[in-house]
Amino acid sequence: QVQLVESGGGTVQAGGSLRLSCAASGDTFSNYAMGWFRQAPGKEREFVALIRGTGSATYYEDSVKGRFTISRDNAKNMVYLQLNSLKPEDKGIYYCAEDRWVPTLHSGSPASWGQGTQVTVSS
């Protein structure tokens, strides 16, 4: 089983940037697709972005395209989410997740979740 630990959340003003990090341990990292999800207060957790194990392809939720960038460093067992041009509606707890299969990850039923990191955007 893979263990995931997120970091990098915080409070920024609208238009600002943050970089979230997720450290993975426990198995061969490159075997897993990695993703980011978020959950706003009172709402269900939603997909944000994912990246294939080799880093060969990325996928984004429409509202974050052009503003967020997912990347990974397989040598360091790390995945990142760069958040630019943040909006108040981007506020929420951001979770890192992993699964061997992209469709399973994208559906929101991954094998592992991190504990989450809070992102707050002030207007």
Side-chain angles (χ1 to χ4, degrees):
Q1 188 174 2
V2 176
Q3 291 78 47
L4 304 172
V5 179
E6 303 96 331
S7 61
T11 300
V12 296
Q13 289 188 334
S17 298
L18 282 173
R19 188 194 195 204
L20 307 183
S21 300
C22 176
S25 61
D27 206 336
T28 304
F29 185 62
S30 60
N31 287 345
Y32 295 85
M34 299 297 298
W36 288 94
F37 292 74
R38 67 186 178 189
Q39 187 168 22
K43 295 187 177 181
E44 294 186 354
R45 187 153 45 187
E46 65 175 0
F47 168 77
V48 175
L50 69 84
I51 185 167
R52 289 188 178 271
T54 59
S56 60
T58 57
Y59 306 90
Y60 296 93
E61 193 272 328
D62 286 345
S63 70
V64 308
K65 285 180 181 177
R67 300 189 298 121
F68 293 5
T69 303
I70 189 170
S71 61
R72 65 190 296 159
D73 184 339
N74 286 349
K76 296 182 178 180
N77 285 14
M78 296 290 295
V79 63
Y80 307 98
L81 187 67
Q82 179 68 41
L83 291 68
N84 296 331
S85 302
L86 281 161
K87 304 176 181 179
E89 53 263 41
D90 294 319
K91 171 184 177 179
I93 300 174
Y94 282 69
Y95 297 91
C96 179
E98 61 83 14
D99 201 278
R100 288 182 177 269
W101 307 108
V102 167
T104 304
L105 179 58
H106 187 267
S107 72
S109 300
S112 301
W113 292 102
Q115 84 288 351
T117 186
Q118 177 72 50
V119 171
T120 301
V121 184
S122 59
S123 56

